[in-house]
Amino acid sequence: MTDDKRYDAVIAGAGPAGSAAAYVLARAGARVMVLDRASFPRDKLCAGLLTWKTTDLVERIYGMGPQALLARGVIEHRADRYRIRHKGMTLACSDLFHPFYFVSRRVIDAWFLDRAREAGAEFRSGEVVTAADATRGEVVTESGDRYQGRFLIGADGAASVVRRAFPLPRAAFAANMGMGLECQVRRDDPDITAAHPDLRENYPTVYSGFVRTGYGWVFPHGAHAVVGLGGLASRKGASMRREFAAFLDFLRLPRRFLGCCKAHLLPYGNFLTHPVHQQALLAGDAAGLVETLFGEGLYYALRSGELAALAVLSGLSGKDACEGYLSGLRQDIYPELSGSLRLRQAIFFSLRFGPLPLWCLLRLGGERLVEMAHGVRSYRWLRRRAAGPGRAG
């Protein structure tokens, strides 16, 4: 292998996890190569909601807060209210102490990658990784090229190729792999006038009752709304499609939207507790690092990418990168994922008896539950974990 294909770190995947890792590494002076099968900007299915903890992390890493991102068009919508329904019954509807922001993954993922490239990371688009060697820190692409790093970061999504190089039972990871289906509804679509009024609101609505373990959503994105359904409906995608069709019927949307919906894998409780092996680390969806109640992934992708980069930097200086990465995950990520999983199990079990238990939880929890979603409080017993943004929003 020629020296021009040897790096301090090779990163498979240029989504938020891979780009955050590349940015942190390149800014510290490491030689980094990022590989992705796609050319950017590219479309990516995602509801696109940013909580306070996500915008706070973006500001800390990149030095740019939500107002600056709004001005640059990276954030496309701000919402100051939220609603939770069980089918047609409103369980909660209130103002937010801090806004939810909404983004297009096509736009924000390209923005993250641009920051990494500006910091000095190299990027190759159209490179489909077909095999990985965790011991050598090496990947092989469809074109036959080999790229080797002192460390390899697998940030290549839920169907990760790098993960296959790990001694992991594939069935265990697949057991809690969920599915999401989404479509977009333009605000000027003539069919929206007869549709459910939630589609015309400027704030998000989350729905229970349409899938046994999961939820539906209508999220505003400026000129359009994203309508989706995700969770562990069954082992068969056809069942989820039927449930999405029922959700569209509830929203009084014509079936043509079912024909244009797209599906994606959704890690939903299958996070890996040991996503390291030899010279390789897994980040983001590749490690299943997605919050297990609402399916929030952007924060955990960015944060795990940052933690992987910091671990690699310590490894380049002679320390144990794998243990450093695991230490960071145990401190900041695993407690939230395990706590949200326990809460999810309790909520969806209680919904078998109707919406009353969830209504009671929302009434008793009040704003503390919203603080939990934003990351101000922990999913573990609602303990405060951050000072938060204050009431100014």
Side-chain angles (χ1 to χ4, degrees):
M1 182 182 296
T2 58
D3 288 342
D4 64 345
K5 288 189 172 67
R6 295 181 186 273
Y7 299 88
D8 292 318
V10 171
I11 302 174
S19 291
Y23 176 79
V24 173
L25 285 164
R27 190 176 57 175
R31 188 174 182 222
V32 184
M33 171 57 76
V34 184
L35 306 169
D36 200 288
R37 65 171 60 233
S39 297
F40 284 66
R42 57 90 174 96
D43 292 323
K44 175 75 172 180
L45 290 177
C46 179
L49 185 151
L50 303 185
T51 56
W52 169 77
K53 62 180 176 290
T54 310
T55 57
D56 182 64
L57 180 63
V58 170
E59 186 166 9
R60 179 170 61 75
I61 295 175
Y62 298 99
M64 194 168 294
Q67 297 309 313
L69 294 174
L70 272 166
R72 288 163 172 78
V74 178
I75 290 175
E76 57 187 11
H77 188 78
R78 164 182 170 148
D80 296 296
R81 287 178 65 80
Y82 75 97
R83 176 167 43 217
I84 299 174
R85 292 188 187 274
H86 181 80
K87 295 188 176 180
M89 179 188 299
T90 298
L91 303 181
C93 187
S94 183
D95 293 337
L96 290 161
F97 75 92
H98 184 76
F100 287 138
Y101 294 100
F102 295 88
V103 297
S104 160
R105 288 290 299 274
R106 180 180 180 85
V107 174
I108 199 167
D109 286 13
W111 187 84
F112 288 138
L113 179 58
D114 286 345
R115 304 289 80 74
R117 298 177 75 178
E118 289 171 1
E122 298 180 51
F123 173 60
R124 297 283 188 275
S125 64
E127 288 282 27
V128 180
V129 173
T130 57
D133 186 328
T135 302
R136 292 171 53 84
E138 182 180 88
V139 296
V140 182
T141 67
E142 194 174 60
S143 61
D145 287 331
R146 294 176 178 269
Y147 296 87
Q148 186 175 18
R150 293 175 63 184
F151 292 94
L152 170 62
I153 297 177
D156 49 342
S160 172
V161 173
V162 176
R163 190 176 62 240
R164 298 177 196 167
F166 282 51
L168 297 168
R170 294 188 185 183
F173 190 82
N176 281 311
M177 183 68 76
M179 176 178 289
L181 287 91
E182 283 185 349
C183 66
Q184 292 187 3
V185 181
R186 289 194 56 82
R187 297 298 183 102
D188 58 4
D189 191 300
D191 285 319
I192 203 170
T193 56
H196 197 288
D198 288 359
L199 288 156
R200 298 186 290 275
E201 297 287 6
N202 287 316
Y203 56 87
T205 301
V206 172
Y207 306 81
S208 65
F210 290 96
V211 57
R212 182 170 179 175
T213 304
Y215 63 99
W217 61 88
V218 172
F219 286 175
H221 281 254
H224 68 274
V226 172
V227 176
L229 187 74
L232 300 177
S234 74
R235 298 286 182 248
K236 299 179 180 179
S239 174
M240 179 67 85
R241 189 175 177 86
R242 286 195 298 269
E243 286 154 341
F244 188 52
F247 184 47
L248 294 178
D249 289 344
F250 165 79
L251 294 172
R252 302 197 291 276
L253 287 171
R255 285 298 179 95
R256 65 181 174 87
F257 287 102
L258 182 63
C260 64
C261 78
K262 296 182 179 179
H264 60 103
L265 294 176
L266 176 69
Y268 202 50
N270 52 350
F271 57 91
L272 300 177
T273 57
H274 199 81
V276 295
H277 181 56
Q278 301 292 336
Q279 302 305 109
L281 304 82
L282 298 173
D285 284 9
L289 301 178
V290 174
E291 186 267 298
T292 58
L293 176 58
F294 294 113
E296 180 184 7
L298 274 169
Y299 170 80
Y300 297 98
L302 292 166
R303 180 61 173 143
S304 63
E306 180 192 31
L307 289 171
L310 294 173
V312 166
L313 289 172
S314 70
L316 293 173
S317 65
K319 297 179 182 178
D320 188 333
C322 290
E323 184 52 43
Y325 185 45
L326 290 174
S327 177
L329 294 175
R330 291 173 187 139
Q331 180 175 341
D332 191 49
I333 290 182
Y334 288 148
E336 298 309 297
L337 299 188
S338 59
S340 68
L341 181 58
R342 286 192 292 270
L343 181 59
R344 183 187 88 184
Q345 292 167 339
I347 287 175
F348 289 117
F349 178 79
S350 73
L351 284 171
R352 298 179 184 183
F353 307 100
L356 181 60
L358 180 56
W359 181 86
C360 292
L361 174 66
L362 294 170
R363 289 296 182 274
L364 292 171
E367 192 165 281
R368 290 176 298 172
L369 295 175
V370 180
E371 291 176 334
M372 177 188 72
H374 269 300
V376 175
R377 291 186 182 273
S378 172
Y379 280 93
R380 302 182 70 179
W381 308 111
L382 295 175
R383 297 169 182 163
R384 183 168 289 274
R385 68 190 297 265
R391 298 299 170 183

